[in-house]
Amino acid sequence: MPYYEELEDASYTELRKNLLRSKGSLEQREFLSILRSSNEFSDWVRQKVKIETGGSLPILEERLTEAEFKEPPKNIEKSIFDAWESISPADACRVTFWGYITLRHTEEGKIKSHYLAANGGTMPGGLERIDRILKEGNKNEVDRTVRAALRRMSGLPEARGNRSVYVNCPFARAWWRRYLANEVCEKTGAELTNVVKVLTVSQSYWEELITLVVSQNSVLGDANVRTALIWILSDFIHYEDKKKLFTTKTLGQIRQLIGIRSAWQELGVFSVEELKKIIKNEFIPAD
């Protein structure tokens, strides 16, 4: 039995499988129609998916706007982590866990179900997008919107692998950012505000960073290597001549260099302080 309540894996996986089976299908169109009403959506999910019993987490006090849900501001990210600080990383990496969290906040009126379908930018909103897509009937757009909603609800591993929960689900992304920020600061002398700035440079930059969390490579997935890299990046976050560091391309290059170095030297034996010096001297571009 899971430590906290969550969606049952088998029935939630089956729900996603059915929705993704055919682009523009009746099932997809019905799902989008149901998303228009939070009550209908909540009832529909509970009819389709079993709930695993466990402990209950508190519901957020604030009611979120669509923009606040899609991209939680730093103060809301902090309140999300503070409310759910007791979550373990093992819980926080599961789509079933975050799917239930999203469902509960929909039921309690803290978010609206149509937020899940909103575009990545500012316009249109979820409700407007759903109405337009259903009216136009383009099967590719229907499929794209369904996938967007599932990604926001919990992450969509079928389409985006195990990174999806960390990157696409707003509640999960907020929690993981603060979890990693606190982890770095507890192990180093880094300033929390600077670390948070590194983790929130952009969506694509966060997605590149999260590779260090989910990597199956024993070096890239090592907590000390991850901590040392984020620490050194936080030292440079305000340097005008180091803006290049905060591009996805440069971060990817640094990650590759770390992997190459690990082929001939075991980096896991070094302390975080020693790793920081290695990364700074050998992997950080000079200009």
Side-chain angles (χ1 to χ4, degrees):
M1 185 178 76
Y3 192 79
Y4 291 109
E5 293 172 304
E6 62 179 48
L7 303 178
E8 185 209 42
D9 185 52
S11 53
Y12 187 45
T13 299
E14 184 67 17
L15 179 147
R16 299 194 308 273
K17 179 181 176 181
N18 289 337
L19 285 173
L20 299 179
R21 183 173 287 118
S22 178
K23 292 183 179 181
S25 65
L26 178 61
E27 287 82 4
Q28 286 194 337
R29 293 177 59 82
E30 287 180 343
F31 175 68
L32 293 183
S33 181
I34 288 167
L35 275 179
R36 299 184 79 261
S37 166
S38 295
N39 290 335
E40 285 188 36
F41 172 73
S42 300
D43 291 343
W44 182 82
V45 173
R46 286 189 176 270
Q47 290 170 8
K48 298 283 186 180
V49 183
K50 298 177 183 177
I51 307 298
E52 295 276 14
T53 58
S56 296
L57 284 169
I59 297 296
L60 298 178
E61 293 183 2
E62 57 262 66
R63 182 174 295 176
L64 303 181
T65 66
E66 188 171 78
E68 289 170 336
F69 172 66
K70 287 194 305 178
E71 294 289 342
K74 290 183 175 65
N75 65 310
I76 293 179
E77 279 198 351
K78 183 179 184 303
S79 68
I80 287 172
F81 182 80
D82 289 347
W84 304 329
E85 191 172 0
S86 61
I87 299 171
S88 71
D91 289 321
C93 67
R94 295 202 298 272
V95 296
T96 49
F97 174 82
W98 292 110
Y100 185 71
I101 290 291
T102 303
L103 175 66
R104 290 286 291 115
H105 281 74
T106 302
E107 292 174 330
E108 296 294 327
K110 301 303 182 181
I111 61 173
K112 297 181 180 180
S113 57
H114 59 74
Y115 291 179
L116 300 176
N119 272 342
T122 57
M123 293 295 288
L127 192 58
E128 293 85 351
R129 184 183 186 186
I130 290 169
D131 288 344
R132 177 178 61 81
I133 295 302
L134 289 177
K135 181 179 180 180
E136 294 175 355
N138 182 291
K139 66 179 183 180
N140 290 324
E141 286 297 320
V142 169
D143 181 70
R144 192 173 294 118
T145 307
V146 169
R147 288 170 182 267
L150 292 173
R151 286 197 300 269
R152 280 212 183 90
M153 181 173 177
S154 62
L156 186 58
E158 290 85 355
R160 306 208 67 198
N162 58 351
R163 288 193 301 178
S164 184
V165 65
Y166 305 88
V167 173
N168 300 131
C169 175
F171 284 144
R173 185 173 65 235
W175 188 91
W176 273 103
R177 278 177 173 164
R178 287 290 167 166
Y179 175 82
L180 290 181
N182 289 345
E183 180 184 63
V184 170
C185 292
E186 286 171 3
K187 293 183 177 180
T188 72
E191 291 286 339
L192 179 61
T193 54
N194 291 343
V195 173
V196 170
K197 286 180 180 178
V198 170
L199 300 181
T200 55
V201 166
S202 68
Q203 176 75 352
S204 60
Y205 199 77
W206 166 251
E207 188 163 355
E208 185 68 35
L209 275 173
I210 211 63
T211 301
L212 300 171
V213 176
V214 302
S215 176
Q216 298 301 309
N217 181 299
S218 60
V219 174
L220 294 177
D222 184 89
N224 283 349
V225 173
R226 175 174 73 231
T227 296
L229 175 58
I230 296 173
W231 185 11
I232 187 62
L233 289 172
S234 74
D235 284 350
F236 291 126
I237 191 67
H238 296 297
Y239 283 60
E240 284 294 319
D241 61 342
K242 293 294 184 181
K243 284 185 176 180
K244 184 180 177 181
L245 280 178
F246 303 101
T247 64
T248 305
K249 180 180 179 181
T250 299
L251 182 59
Q253 292 170 343
I254 293 172
R255 185 168 56 82
Q256 289 176 350
L257 290 172
I258 293 173
I260 293 170
R261 173 65 176 269
S262 69
W264 60 269
Q265 184 174 36
E266 176 57 58
L267 296 179
V269 301
F270 293 102
S271 68
V272 173
E273 290 77 10
E274 290 169 328
L275 286 168
K276 182 187 181 187
K277 291 179 182 178
I278 292 172
I279 293 172
K280 179 180 180 180
N281 295 332
E282 299 186 27
F283 306 141
I284 298 294
D287 50 27

